[in-house]
Amino acid sequence: MFYKFSFFLIFFLCTCVQPMAHAQTRVPSQKSAPAGNSKVEALLKKMTLQEKIGQLTLYTTDWESTGPTIRDGYKNDIRSGACGALFNSHTVPFTRELQRIAIEETRLKIPLLFGYDVIHGYKTIFPIPLGEAASWDLTAIEKSARVAAKEASSAGLHWTFAPMVDVARDPRWGRVMEGAGEDTYLGCRIAEARVRGIQGKGIGNTDAVLACVKHYAAYGAAIGGRDYNTVDMSERFLREYYLPPYKAAIDAGARTVMASFNDYDGVPATGNKFLLDQILRKEWKFKGFVVSDYTGIAEMVNHGVVANDKEAGELALQAGVDMDMQSAIYQRFTAQSLREGKISLQQIDDAVRRILSLKFELGLFDDPYKFSDQARYDATILSAENRAAARDVAKRSIVLLQNKGNVLPLSKNTKIALIGPLAENKSELIGNWCGAGSGSDCVSVREGLQLAGYNQVAFAKACEIADHDESGFKAALEVAQHADVLVVVLGERADMSGEAASRSNIKLPGVQENLLKALKSSGKPIVVILMNGRPLDLSEIVNDADAILEAWWLGTETGNALADVISGAYNPSGKLPMSFPKSVGQIPVYYNYKSTGRPYDPNSKWTSKYIDEQNNPLFPFGFGLSYTTFEYGEIQCDNPVFKKGTPVQLRVNVRNTGKYDGEEVVQLYIRDVTASVTRPVRELKAFKKIKIPQGGNETISFSLTDADFSFYKKNMQFGSEAGKFEIYIGGSALASRKLSIEMKP
Ligand code: NOJ
């Protein structure tokens, strides 16, 4: 994890770089926008410049797997008021001890703010966010964030660095695992659900923590999918596809924002006034505080837009970064920059106000220890209720990609050969960004099958995830001989996705494809379970497997959730939140592409295509099978010719024509046929997840408003344009039911 590296960095910073740590220059405060509440203003008046700068400073603790430690450097920073917030600081005893220093040993007794990356669970680990997104179940996603917030807050945390809402179209990028995938609309709805879950009934409640929307902005568009890389896109593209999820999260109440590492239009986001001031504060009226990403301020020197750390601090503060994560640049240079007139006291005060306001709102001035509650921790952490929620979300996140011959579900008396490097593994199941989770709390696939009552399960590991040793294949083939079905659990290592984990080859690592080919020679039906943090190139796997379950990293309840699906106790209902490519050369491949002047025609050379690969992905966005089948009726519309501004009422009947009760995600896409700028061939505008009993049917209604038909027009005004639209409704981005409608001016 990155914070292990931070141990060395912060050691350096703490030992070498504290020139201002004990300065107590009292500077008169000026009242300035944003007008804080009276308590904030009163406190601000008492603060020295150094104490103010301390509130703008965030350090990581050097928490390690063996437990927390507090070095003298930290204690001194807290005591001198040089640091107002800490991250990777959690558990009741640790946060109480840190807070005690702030409250009992500092002049102004300003409580510390404790943050942590609680991305998909604190101790009870839920599926990775990309996996949860595959559930398209906003209630389940909100619940997951709620449980995470309850657990985290009981451990003394006030703030999580989530949700990550970066739209991402490139599966090579390791951080796709943290987000909601490629689509803006789905991303917005999931961003809102996560914020609602994280902040619960509101900041100030002991079970609610501050959300931090990240990474603002467009971090998911790193060129080539290489982490930390440059982003280059038009403002139209930025506003249309990348910004809406951040805005949705802020509109849902998220109180903090993290600036991203990348540059946008030649300026690092951390120093980008257009993003942080013009859009975030002026257009969106964001009132919370902005934190940099880890050493993001210092990195502006490497970006080459400032000559040194001091200038980096000035650029960041002027742009609107209130809190410096880990660079210690505000700590080291802000006073000097102020003396030189490079920044103003008002800029410092405004940043301090924003941070103090949230500390007040959290209730930390009334009770600084209110979140560090051992009794609540003991009752909450990994409770049966939380585990049940994790199992529920996990089973909803699984996507059935293929089921030739209806090999799944498997009856309980099936003789199973359970094979593969992840078949009884526990440590990888919590995936990357796994909070304080532990593999030892996980239910493995092997355990899950046993608990579900599969009594004839023989096991062979066959190979490791990523090495090249095939000597275990023989034993696996032996086990396969005696089985009815082979259940083969394959995937990436958890650390192959996440931060700084981009891959140029997105096939299964090591010899896993070879293993599958060897097993195919047994002639037995093969069910592949995949565990991975990104869309993979499955072009070989689809040929060798009969059934494929995409299981991402499902977290603590992995084995139970998979057994629910394998047995048919739960009929899979997940749908892909990102397209799965046919090959790495197709990337980026996404459903809402533009037509171009020469739309793809497989039979015509002179169209937009590759000469050696088709344009369509292996599995499209929105795709996922069920053990049952659904049939869509014709789209009905009350007002196919409608006046601009009038809602369009649409209906479709969906029939369950298979042998099981099932859930379907009914997806509605539009196409603006002619507009002042080119429009995507399809855009998701609505979806509903419904349960239909076997043989039953349901009529689903959608109402599209003017906002759904709106986009950034030629003049960059957001609005709709009269003309023809096509509506598509179905079970994936390839939905085939179509209706033409027309908007009149
Ligand atoms: C860097 C990551 O980019 C960010 O997502 C995370 O919140 C911080 N490190 C803190 O761990």
Side-chain angles (χ1 to χ4, degrees), residues 1-3 58 60 87-88 116-119 160-162 164 166 175 178 212 214-215 219 227-228 258-261 292-295 325 433 499:
M1 284 287 175
F2 198 22
Y3 63 78
L58 169 66
T60 179
F87 70 111
N88 296 327
Y116 193 38
D117 288 284
V118 182
I119 306 298
T160 173
F161 301 137
M164 187 277 216
D166 303 321
R175 303 199 77 169
E178 295 171 58
C212 182
K214 68 187 190 186
H215 305 80
Y219 183 40
D227 206 5
Y228 314 126
M258 188 184 292
S260 53
F261 286 127
S292 78
D293 201 344
Y294 199 110
T295 60
M325 185 196 290
W433 289 115
E499 186 176 352

Side-chain angles (χ1 to χ4, degrees), residues 166-176 217-234 237 242 260-266 303 501-504 584 587-588:
D166 303 321
V167 168
R169 293 171 159 185
D170 193 327
R172 291 171 297 183
W173 192 47
R175 303 199 77 169
V176 297
Y219 183 40
I223 293 174
R226 211 182 64 214
D227 206 5
Y228 314 126
N229 202 6
T230 295
V231 164
D232 195 10
M233 64 173 72
S234 66
F237 210 69
Y242 285 85
S260 53
F261 286 127
N262 57 281
D263 62 338
Y264 171 71
D265 196 20
H303 274 288
S502 296
R503 294 181 65 197
S504 63
V584 82
I587 296 171

Side-chain angles (χ1 to χ4, degrees), residues 189-206:
R189 302 295 79 79
I190 290 178
E192 293 158 354
R194 291 200 205 284
V195 171
R196 285 197 300 271
I198 292 167
Q199 298 193 164
K201 294 216 172 78
I203 297 310
N205 289 293
T206 42

Side-chain angles (χ1 to χ4, degrees), residues 82-294:
C83 150
L86 289 167
F87 70 111
N88 296 327
S89 45
H90 56 108
T91 72
V92 175
F94 189 38
T95 52
R96 278 191 167 260
E97 171 56 6
L98 296 171
Q99 199 66 295
R100 189 199 61 71
I101 299 173
I103 298 304
E104 293 179 10
E105 301 184 29
T106 68
R107 198 177 74 85
L108 291 175
K109 307 186 188 321
I110 301 175
L112 292 165
L113 187 72
F114 298 125
Y116 193 38
D117 288 284
V118 182
I119 306 298
H120 52 114
Y122 175 69
K123 272 276 184 193
T124 306
I125 302 301
F126 284 70
I128 57 167
L130 187 67
E132 285 190 347
S135 74
W136 294 55
D137 188 328
L138 301 177
T139 311
I141 291 170
E142 181 175 336
K143 173 89 184 184
S144 158
R146 191 82 286 277
V147 170
K150 281 185 179 170
E151 290 197 353
S153 59
S154 77
L157 286 159
H158 313 133
W159 186 25
T160 173
F161 301 137
M164 187 277 216
V165 304
D166 303 321
V167 168
R169 293 171 159 185
D170 193 327
R172 291 171 297 183
W173 192 47
R175 303 199 77 169
V176 297
M177 60 135 309
E178 295 171 58
E182 76 187 37
D183 185 55
T184 306
Y185 178 84
L186 180 62
C188 287
R189 302 295 79 79
I190 290 178
E192 293 158 354
R194 291 200 205 284
V195 171
R196 285 197 300 271
I198 292 167
Q199 298 193 164
K201 294 216 172 78
I203 297 310
N205 289 293
T206 42
D207 66 357
V209 294
L210 293 169
C212 182
V213 189
K214 68 187 190 186
H215 305 80
Y216 185 75
Y219 183 40
I223 293 174
R226 211 182 64 214
D227 206 5
Y228 314 126
N229 202 6
T230 295
V231 164
D232 195 10
M233 64 173 72
S234 66
E235 186 181 337
R236 178 184 308 284
F237 210 69
L238 175 80
R239 287 189 183 266
E240 181 147 352
Y241 300 107
Y242 285 85
L243 292 188
Y246 307 105
K247 167 112 176 17
I250 289 162
D251 289 347
R255 311 304 288 277
T256 75
V257 168
M258 188 184 292
S260 53
F261 286 127
N262 57 281
D263 62 338
Y264 171 71
D265 196 20
V267 183
T270 310
N272 196 312
K273 222 170 172 165
F274 172 68
L275 293 175
L276 296 174
D277 191 51
Q278 172 59 32
I279 296 182
L280 184 65
R281 294 207 188 277
K282 296 209 169 77
E283 294 180 25
W284 297 354
K285 316 255 178 285
F286 174 67
K287 296 277 183 281
F289 73 78
V290 176
V291 61
S292 78
D293 201 344
Y294 199 110

Side-chain angles (χ1 to χ4, degrees), residues 671-674 721-726 740-743:
R671 176 174 188 175
D672 191 340
V673 181
T674 312
E721 289 174 350
K724 293 205 165 93
F725 291 85
E726 288 164 358
S740 294
I741 60 173
E742 188 175 352
M743 180 193 288

